Amino acid sequence: MNAAILTTERLVLTPVDVTDLDDLLALWSDEDFTRHITGRAMTSEEVWFRLLRDLGQWSVAGYGSWTMRLADSGAYLGNVAILDHRRLIEPPLTDPELGWGLSPAFQGQGFAAEALRAALDWTDAHLSGARTVCMIAPENLASIRLATRVGFRPYATTTYKDHPVQLFERPRKDRGEP
């Protein structure tokens, strides 16, 4: 499967690339951004390994993390991803997992929903599975609202790496379904 470029009305989503490193370093060092994901800013070493992981997932699985940029200016907004992290979690995440992160400077403008819908459409068209799933920290109310807006519903509460998380699922949509 070739890496896909997705476009929406306002965004261009391209598979993550090594040229995204500076933007990723800026994003992952922002404590407002990382608060609900890692709980702390990431070091340059951690961001580099994260980038290598994301690059590798594209080559191994044929899907992965997309870099989100504004179509008109090329400004970096964040990312949306289909994940296969093989997390050690109960219940296990056996279906495609969606994840997303948007720079605080661009939040509240509908960009994350636009990108997430494009990634979900791609997932439904190209991957098997009866559903997609996501994992959100219970205090991350903005991401919970977004997940609900695009069709996810809670199905379990559990812990991951000693932190409580809410698991959500979204049934796969067949082509032509609204």
Side-chain angles (χ1 to χ4, degrees):
M1 190 178 310
N2 290 334
I5 295 174
L6 309 179
T7 58
T8 69
E9 182 180 330
R10 302 179 295 167
L11 303 173
V12 175
L13 307 175
T14 57
V16 69
D17 188 83
V18 71
T19 59
D20 297 321
L21 181 59
D22 288 342
D23 290 321
L24 289 166
L25 288 168
L27 185 66
W28 287 97
S29 67
D30 182 339
E31 291 183 359
D32 285 336
F33 174 76
T34 59
R35 169 183 51 223
H36 298 300
I37 304 168
T38 60
R40 62 175 178 76
M42 292 178 72
T43 67
S44 60
E45 177 182 4
E46 291 169 319
V47 174
W48 175 246
F49 281 124
R50 184 178 192 90
L51 175 60
L52 293 175
R53 177 199 67 199
D54 290 345
L55 290 167
Q57 186 170 319
W58 274 107
S59 58
V60 170
Y63 58 85
S65 182
W66 283 278
T67 294
M68 192 186 319
R69 294 188 183 278
L70 287 177
D72 60 358
S73 68
Y76 178 82
L77 279 68
N79 76 321
V80 61
I82 305 166
L83 309 170
D84 180 9
H85 288 177
R86 303 189 183 197
R87 298 182 192 276
L88 300 176
I89 190 170
E90 287 295 329
L93 302 178
T94 56
D95 298 288
E97 179 186 354
L98 273 283
W100 58 89
L102 189 68
S103 169
F106 293 100
Q107 292 176 5
Q109 300 173 56
F111 293 121
E114 195 172 319
L116 190 49
R117 284 186 184 104
L120 286 166
D121 287 347
W122 189 92
T123 303
D124 290 343
H126 294 92
L127 301 180
S128 62
R131 66 181 184 164
T132 53
V133 296
C134 66
M135 176 175 71
I136 304 173
E139 66 275 6
N140 189 347
L141 300 180
S143 280
I144 291 171
R145 284 190 299 271
L146 173 59
T148 301
R149 191 172 342 135
V150 299
F152 284 98
R153 298 291 175 255
Y155 73 93
T157 301
T158 188
T159 58
Y160 179 65
K161 295 188 176 181
D162 298 322
H163 295 285
V165 293
Q166 179 73 53
L167 302 181
F168 292 79
E169 64 185 348
R170 175 191 160 274
R172 175 193 181 99
K173 291 189 178 177
D174 293 323
R175 292 182 187 177
E177 198 177 316

